[in-house]
Amino acid sequence: MEPPVHSLSALFDQLGLPSEAENIETFIGRHRPLAADIKLAEASFWSESQQRFLQQAIGDDADWAEVVDELDALLRH
């Protein structure tokens, strides 16, 4: 059994969002810039279940935390 692949595409799959590169770029463009005083997992554009997944991913899985940090950086710049 292969370990799960942690990538932006896989993160978007986990969040129930279209995970093709162009869809990820569109999502980032639509929600950028994320204000400095807002934590990514608490942003208003997530559903409650997406927020819970992000909070859990950040706290429980270092590999997911790295991908979430990557998304966070993309949304802030």
Side-chain angles (χ1 to χ4, degrees), residues 1-47:
M1 189 165 145
E2 287 185 36
V5 175
H6 295 83
S7 65
L8 276 179
S9 177
L11 177 63
F12 274 65
D13 281 338
Q14 289 293 318
L15 293 168
L17 299 170
S19 60
E20 296 77 16
E22 60 273 2
N23 293 12
I24 294 171
E25 288 177 29
T26 298
F27 178 91
I28 291 168
R30 186 174 344 137
H31 298 293
R32 183 180 11 199
L34 185 60
D37 62 335
I38 297 175
K39 293 180 181 180
L40 177 62
E42 297 172 0
S44 63
F45 48 80
W46 301 122
S47 69

